[in-house]
Amino acid sequence: MTRDMTTGSPLRRILAFCAPLLIGNLFQQFYNLADSIIVGRLLGVNAFAAVGSTGALNFLVLGFALGICSGFAIPIAQSFGAGDTEAVRSRTGQLVWLGLFFSLLITLLTYFTTGPLLRITNTPANIYDQAYRYIFIVFMGSGATILYNLASGVLRALGDSRTPLLFLIVAVFINVLLDILFMAGFGMDVEGAAYATVISQAASGLACLMYIKLKVPVLHISKADLKPNLRRMGYIASIGVPMGLQFSITAVGSIILQSAVNTLGASAVAAVSAGSRVHNIVAAPLETAGITMATYCGQNLGAARLSRIRSGIRSITVVSMFYCLLALAVNAFAGSAIARLFLDASETAILSDVHDYLVINGLAYPMLAIIFIFRNGLQGMGFSNSAMFAGLAELVARALVAFGFVGRYAFGAVCFANPLAWLFADVILLFLYFRKLKYLKQTLPREEGFALPPKALSAHAH
């Protein structure tokens, strides 16, 4: 079901799109948590720490994949908002080649670099082998991740956030069942969790493709659409690759911080891993609001409705601030209980560190909300290159904590790394947002509300 987000109440349109996307995001978090919970319960705290220690590295590689897929869908959202179905199909056809290229590139690069990267990040010796086996298999299945995120990203670009949710729910159940089958039934170690993740991602991606073939005629591409066109691919890549690099740049900061955490021992690694997983669940609505704004701003840029972009961002920012209060309460009063899903209650010292980590991060959630909303909004408007500066600011902040404070203040310094990174990024994003709005107001080639000519859209987007 496609949804035009260029008409009607901005907030109602945003929330209607957001609702299934939020459910999907929460299922995605459960999808990620399933490995950790089952690994922690079946294989013990060292296995849990091994999987957790790969989190930043996973974000570096698969975060890049997720970023490019999200970025590749933005030109399709712009074309759909402009009512240019021919451009929608043409750009979708080029995604096939871009998806194949980046799947191959990521697989080849990680085949040769997984071991060195784990050593660079100071992965503790007692969990190195398990960490390597887990993340290497996940990386070799990166094509499945790209398949699902490309297919679901295109559907969301057309305003359909419900269908990707349904297939994601199915993938979650497949993942959980395979986790139990491989590790409890077949006696596999952490590689069982990795195989379950890859297989379930592939199943979800193939289901999305089948749905597009049967139910979404606007995406039925022809042989002409599939003919490689370097100019079109270059334009799509000019938006998608910076978004991927944004994730990776942010991840480099996380890797630097993870390297410092790893020097504190397996207990600190487990605390950060557990705290991060709880944080990812609680912050999912904020992330969802941001993802929504990429599609919302993309469609409204295509329809040349700048006032709707401003109104939508204001409205969802207010809603997000209210949610931040609830999120802080959850972190403070229920965060440790959630962490006990994958940590034994006897690990009292680790659980105490988890509580401190969650409360300090929760106090800074308003800054995180601004990152998600304004960064994705800028990317939806076509300013992916500019938004990368926020990622650089986060990298600098996390590196500052890792090199300057973890050695002196240990785990306490780690708790303040994210809030400092979010603050640095907010300064950049707010400046860029108002500057780019002023630029768009001055350069839009027609009155607001009058659709941008389809062939002018690509030239205007940057």
Side-chain angles (χ1 to χ4, degrees):
M1 179 189 73
T2 60
R3 180 182 286 113
D4 184 355
M5 301 179 74
T6 64
T7 59
S9 165
L11 185 57
R12 281 200 294 268
R13 291 290 189 184
I14 290 168
L15 293 179
F17 184 89
C18 229
L21 195 61
L22 173 57
I23 298 171
N25 200 342
L26 290 172
F27 266 91
Q28 182 70 53
Q29 298 306 326
F30 179 70
Y31 181 91
N32 296 329
L33 276 174
D35 289 344
S36 300
I37 294 171
I38 297 172
V39 166
R41 292 294 181 179
L42 294 180
L43 304 180
V45 68
N46 277 354
F48 171 75
V51 172
S53 71
T54 66
L57 186 56
N58 197 337
F59 186 41
L60 172 70
V61 176
L62 297 188
F64 175 78
L66 176 61
I68 60 172
C69 291
S70 298
F72 289 164
I74 285 174
I76 295 172
Q78 293 171 347
S79 297
F80 185 75
D84 189 355
T85 56
E86 179 183 347
V88 169
R89 285 190 289 269
S90 174
R91 287 172 168 173
T92 301
Q94 302 309 304
L95 290 189
V96 174
W97 299 108
L98 288 168
L100 289 172
F101 172 77
F102 281 101
S103 295
L104 180 61
L105 177 65
I106 291 172
T107 302
L108 286 175
L109 286 176
T110 54
Y111 182 86
F112 294 104
T113 61
T114 298
L117 286 172
L118 285 173
R119 286 189 286 272
I120 288 172
T121 56
N122 297 318
T123 304
N126 62 322
I127 61 175
Y128 176 87
D129 288 342
Q130 288 176 304
Y132 179 87
R133 295 200 305 272
Y134 174 80
I135 199 62
F136 181 78
I137 294 168
V138 170
F139 285 163
M140 292 303 99
S142 58
T145 301
I146 290 178
L147 171 63
Y148 170 72
N149 283 288
L150 271 183
S152 61
V154 170
L155 288 172
R156 283 195 292 266
L158 306 186
D160 182 2
S161 57
R162 190 176 303 169
T163 302
L165 163 65
L166 297 177
F167 294 128
L168 181 60
I169 291 173
V170 173
V172 168
F173 284 109
I174 292 174
N175 184 57
V176 171
L177 291 174
L178 290 179
D179 273 339
I180 296 171
L181 176 65
F182 290 159
M183 287 184 284
F186 295 164
M188 297 175 69
D189 200 67
V190 292
E191 62 265 31
Y195 285 126
T197 296
V198 173
I199 293 170
S200 55
Q201 281 272 16
S204 187
L206 291 172
C208 280
L209 288 183
M210 185 62 66
Y211 176 84
I212 289 172
K213 181 177 180 180
L214 296 175
K215 299 289 186 179
V216 192
V218 71
L219 294 177
H220 289 179
I221 55 179
S222 64
K223 290 184 178 179
D225 296 321
L226 277 172
K227 184 178 179 181
N229 185 306
L230 293 180
R231 181 182 62 82
R232 291 172 185 166
M233 279 192 278
Y235 171 65
I236 296 170
S238 73
I239 295 180
V241 172
M243 283 187 69
L245 291 175
Q246 159 75 44
F247 278 82
S248 292
I249 289 169
T250 303
V252 169
S254 298
I255 287 174
I256 293 171
L257 182 63
Q258 182 70 57
S259 179
V261 172
N262 287 347
T263 64
L264 301 177
S267 293
V269 173
V272 172
S273 299
S276 297
R277 280 159 174 73
V278 176
H279 157 76
N280 289 340
I281 296 172
V282 177
L286 301 177
E287 182 180 10
T288 301
I291 295 170
T292 298
M293 295 315 294
T295 298
Y296 175 85
C297 291
Q299 285 196 14
N300 280 284
L301 177 73
R305 290 182 168 88
L306 187 58
S307 64
R308 283 183 63 83
I309 292 176
R310 291 195 300 262
S311 176
I313 285 182
R314 281 197 304 268
S315 298
I316 197 62
T317 299
V318 171
V319 172
S320 295
M321 292 302 117
F322 281 107
Y323 175 77
C324 288
L325 295 175
L326 175 62
L328 173 59
V330 172
N331 277 7
F333 299 109
S336 296
I338 298 172
R340 286 199 293 272
L341 289 172
F342 32 82
L343 288 174
D344 192 273
S346 63
E347 303 284 355
T348 54
I350 295 177
L351 289 169
S352 176
D353 284 343
V354 169
H355 178 267
D356 293 344
Y357 178 92
L358 289 173
V359 170
I360 292 170
N361 278 261
L363 288 168
Y365 277 172
M367 294 188 292
L368 178 61
I370 289 173
I371 289 179
F372 284 134
I373 293 168
F374 286 81
R375 182 179 66 200
N376 282 278
L378 283 166
Q379 290 166 339
M381 289 184 278
F383 299 112
S384 297
N385 289 326
S386 298
M388 277 200 302
F389 288 108
L392 289 171
E394 289 189 69
L395 187 158
V396 169
R398 290 192 174 96
L400 180 64
V401 172
F403 293 127
F405 296 96
V406 171
R408 181 180 300 178
Y409 299 105
F411 190 82
V414 175
C415 295
F416 285 93
N418 282 336
L420 185 65
W422 300 338
L423 175 62
F424 277 33
D426 282 351
V427 173
I428 300 293
L429 287 170
L430 290 172
F431 169 77
L432 287 173
Y433 172 71
F434 290 108
R435 182 179 178 182
K436 296 303 182 182
L437 272 186
K438 183 178 180 180
Y439 166 77
L440 288 175
K441 187 175 181 179
Q442 293 172 346
T443 57
L444 285 176
R446 55 348 199 192
E447 292 296 323
E448 226 179 289
F450 183 81
L452 192 68
K455 291 187 178 179
L457 181 60
S458 297
H460 171 68
H462 279 288

